[in-house]
Amino acid sequence: MARRYDSSTTTFSPEGRLHQVEYAIEAINNAGTCVGILAKDGVVMASEKKVTSSLLAPAKSSEKTYKLCQHAACNVAGLTADANILIDQARLRAGRYAYQYCEAIPVEQLVEHVCNYKQAYTQYGGLRPFGVAFLFAGYDTHYGFQLYQSDPSGNYSGWKATVIGANNQAGKSFLKNEYGAKKEDEDEKMKGEEEEKSAEEAPEASMPDVQEALRLAVKVLNKTMDATASSPDKMELFCMTLDDDGECSHKILSADEAQKVIDEIEAETAPSGDS
Amino acid sequence: KYQVQISEARKMSILEYNGAAIIAMGGKDCVGIACDTRLGAQAQTVSCDFRKVFKMNDRTFVGLAGLATDVLTMNNLLKFRQNLYELREERQLTPKVFSNLLSNLLYEKRFGPYFIEPVVAGLDENNKPFLSGMDLIGAPVYTDDFVVSGTATANMYGMCETLYKKDMEPEELFETLSQALLASVDRDALSGWGAVVHIVTKDGVISRELKGRRD
């Protein structure tokens, strides 16, 4: 088998694979799910909170969501210890860029820096890769709101909506159908074929707003989480929007606000046989 | 002694090249910090709106007197370090910790220093005034009355010593601080051309611009 090509990160297998990197990606598939959804007026990230014990005294405000700078934040899936190193790297990079240029770092550049750092561990040194996947949410004046996903290989890509962590395939296929899907009642009658044409030309037309995105994110988590009943203590909802001064605001929803979103979804799905 | 000779001008200390005057004073549950707004190239005045006092957060202010390029650089560096602190620790820098950070940053450059002599003013966790002053390699002094820095320190020490009283309320602190600064810079060629005064209380900051002699 490929046993003899497994142990070193810096060796390709005969099939042209880096097994250590793939095993690192496997490690993340056991971690708490994170959903990211890009909206017209912001970015939403929802994550499954894996509460291990009621005796646990959390030191930081979140184990999943981290602020990187004024205009960027990330969600973590994987080994928290590994994530802490990378988050610190990202914060330093954003700070140094601002120090040098007196300008906010463009989001993609920040993501690329973190990914380049991760990539080094797949090519040099004989050290293992980082067992973390990130969802980066950010805003800059060049491209507006953005959502990126990165994995242990150092690969990254921009998304309108994506899922990482446990059951991410189920989450992604759910999003494929649900993201940007118009509500059945009014639009089908009015738009007709025009909608199909415009869906390709103007994809922003079907981009949800932050409130819709929050509901969609919770729906995805409901699908991917094992538990049947969703509640605020099992999930963490984060949204990034612009406030009135044009500054980015990072908000982790309180238990009440999260409960409200959950209730809205339950109200939606309840009268399913009516229309 | 760090000295520089620029074209035909006489030798002067590098710390006196741009000119500055900063005073910070403690009051009753409040603190004030004021600076002049002149920026010069030795004798020539280049700007009348070069502020040397920077707000770090609602409770911490820093005044940086000395070479203007280092004033701006140190401000950017402090903002960077403050930002990192707040991201990592998820809490705000208190004036005392900020002062220690600044002292540390300056001493790191012990044998090639930043040419600035800073002043830190703020309110601690109990809303009590905090003041500290430092030399260019970070040696701090902590007082509860006043700290001064810049090209007119001899004048400022005299004015403050005379006008200062303990436990002044914010309005009286403003008057005292303003008079001390204005009178000091009038007798100094390198500072003046306007001033800014910030009075910090637990309820917020009030900033006022002063018009003085424009010579």
Side-chain angles (χ1 to χ4, degrees):
Chain A
M1 276 211 55
R3 267 311 273 130
R4 63 182 76 172
Y5 304 105
D6 277 2
S7 21
S8 168
T9 26
T10 55
T11 318
F12 276 110
S13 76
E15 299 89 49
R17 291 154 69 177
L18 292 170
H19 284 286
Q20 277 300 307
V21 176
E22 293 183 13
Y23 298 157
I25 294 173
E26 264 311 298
I28 292 152
N29 288 335
N30 298 325
T33 318
C34 295
V35 187
I37 301 183
L38 193 60
K40 279 198 286 266
D41 52 342
V43 191
V44 159
M45 293 197 290
S47 35
E48 176 191 349
K49 280 200 282 202
K50 281 211 157 158
V51 179
T52 42
S53 163
S54 57
L55 293 174
L56 203 61
K60 295 242 147 68
S61 57
S62 165
E63 60 160 81
K64 284 298 225 179
T65 309
Y66 296 90
K67 185 170 167 184
L68 300 177
C69 58
Q70 187 46 42
H71 60 288
C74 67
N75 249 23
V76 171
L79 278 55
T80 312
D82 288 9
N84 286 340
I85 307 288
L86 292 169
I87 287 161
D88 207 46
Q89 272 294 308
R91 287 170 171 168
L92 280 169
R93 179 74 187 113
R96 287 190 187 126
Y97 187 101
Y99 179 64
Q100 191 170 33
Y101 299 106
C102 286
E103 216 185 62
I105 185 170
V107 186
E108 184 170 349
Q109 293 216 20
L110 181 58
V111 174
E112 189 161 331
H113 174 81
V114 174
C115 288
N116 287 348
Y117 192 83
K118 284 204 259 193
Q119 188 276 345
Y121 288 74
T122 69
Q123 196 172 16
Y124 316 109
L127 302 167
R128 68 164 175 82
F130 288 93
V132 200
F134 285 109
L135 284 180
F136 294 96
Y139 175 84
D140 60 41
T141 50
H142 312 284
Y143 293 102
F145 284 104
Q146 299 149 70
L147 175 68
Y148 294 93
Q149 171 189 336
S150 83
D151 64 21
S153 64
N155 209 13
Y156 73 89
S157 41
W159 294 84
K160 290 187 200 146
T162 187
V163 190
I164 55 175
N167 290 330
N168 59 69
Q169 323 87 298
K172 279 192 200 159
S173 52
F174 181 80
L175 277 173
K176 249 204 198 94
N177 297 324
E178 294 291 315
Y179 182 84
K182 297 243 189 226
K183 289 204 228 341
E184 304 289 295
D185 25 282
E186 339 123 30
D187 297 347
E188 243 181 40
K189 285 183 281 182
M190 298 202 317
K191 300 253 177 107
E193 320 110 3
E194 198 195 316
E195 194 187 295
E196 277 163 29
K197 209 169 34 150
S198 67
E200 282 139 22
E201 290 164 339
E204 291 83 38
S206 55
M207 209 180 252
D209 63 25
V210 169
Q211 288 309 312
E212 287 165 356
L214 275 169
R215 285 196 288 273
L216 186 53
V218 174
K219 278 192 219 167
V220 175
L221 275 185
N222 285 339
K223 235 187 160 36
T224 59
M225 288 198 315
D226 302 325
T228 43
S230 57
S231 70
D233 46 88
K234 293 208 190 78
M235 54 176 76
E236 185 179 280
L237 299 175
F238 166 87
C239 68
M240 175 186 282
T241 49
L242 283 187
D243 66 18
D244 302 320
D245 304 315
E247 291 291 319
C248 256
S249 102
H250 304 232
K251 187 168 161 59
I252 294 182
L253 268 61
S254 67
D256 292 332
E257 290 165 328
Q259 187 60 52
K260 202 161 144 288
V261 178
I262 293 171
D263 292 338
E264 278 170 25
I265 294 173
E266 258 155 58
E268 245 180 55
T269 52
S272 51
D274 279 329
S275 57
Chain B
K1 270 254 100 156
Y2 299 103
Q3 294 190 317
V4 69
Q5 177 146 51
I6 289 87
S7 65
E8 296 130 336
R10 62 169 179 86
K11 269 208 173 126
M12 63 153 62
S13 163
I14 186 71
L15 285 163
E16 291 167 14
Y17 181 73
N18 293 121
I22 304 182
I23 307 180
M25 218 180 253
K28 191 163 171 61
D29 297 339
C30 62
V31 78
I33 182 166
C35 68
D36 72 323
T37 51
R38 178 183 180 272
L39 173 74
Q42 288 185 302
Q44 185 185 52
T45 301
V46 171
S47 167
C48 317
D49 194 23
F50 185 76
R51 283 137 200 256
K52 297 131 190 152
V53 168
F54 304 99
K55 175 175 158 174
M56 289 290 125
N57 60 45
D58 289 330
R59 319 172 68 78
T60 314
F61 279 71
V62 64
L64 301 168
L67 196 60
T69 180
D70 287 349
V71 166
L72 293 173
T73 299
M74 188 47 82
N75 181 35
N76 285 338
L77 196 56
L78 289 169
K79 274 204 174 64
F80 177 25
R81 293 299 297 263
Q82 181 205 22
N83 192 242
L84 269 178
Y85 182 96
E86 290 187 356
L87 282 172
R88 285 172 175 154
E89 310 216 3
E90 294 187 352
R91 61 192 176 120
Q92 285 207 322
L93 269 170
T94 58
K96 183 153 95 84
V97 175
F98 179 80
S99 178
N100 289 333
L101 170 65
L102 180 49
S103 171
N104 198 239
L105 282 173
L106 292 174
Y107 196 81
E108 266 176 9
K109 302 278 185 216
R110 170 67 178 79
F111 299 109
Y114 291 107
F115 295 117
I116 57 172
E117 287 182 326
V119 150
V120 177
L123 294 176
D124 66 15
E125 303 87 349
N126 305 316
N127 294 321
K128 293 281 167 264
F130 174 89
L131 291 172
S132 80
M134 257 167 265
D135 68 3
L136 77 173
I137 45 176
V141 68
Y142 305 105
T143 72
D144 51 7
D145 46 15
F146 51 84
V147 270
V148 302
S149 182
T151 48
T153 47
N155 308 357
M156 292 188 283
Y157 276 126
M159 288 303 304
C160 288
E161 205 64 63
T162 310
L163 298 180
Y164 177 78
K165 290 198 316 270
K166 265 179 85 80
D167 290 333
M168 283 184 281
E169 295 289 333
E171 294 77 31
E172 198 188 352
L173 180 65
F174 168 73
E175 286 301 327
T176 309
L177 197 44
S178 306
Q179 292 300 335
L181 185 66
L182 248 31
S184 305
V185 304
D186 284 349
R187 281 282 186 180
D188 176 31
L190 301 173
S191 51
W193 278 95
V196 179
V197 184
H198 306 276
I199 303 292
V200 191
T201 61
K202 69 175 185 342
D203 302 316
V205 184
I206 302 178
S207 304
R208 299 181 183 91
E209 289 176 17
L210 305 178
K211 236 177 150 156
R213 287 183 66 105
R214 298 170 75 74
D215 63 357

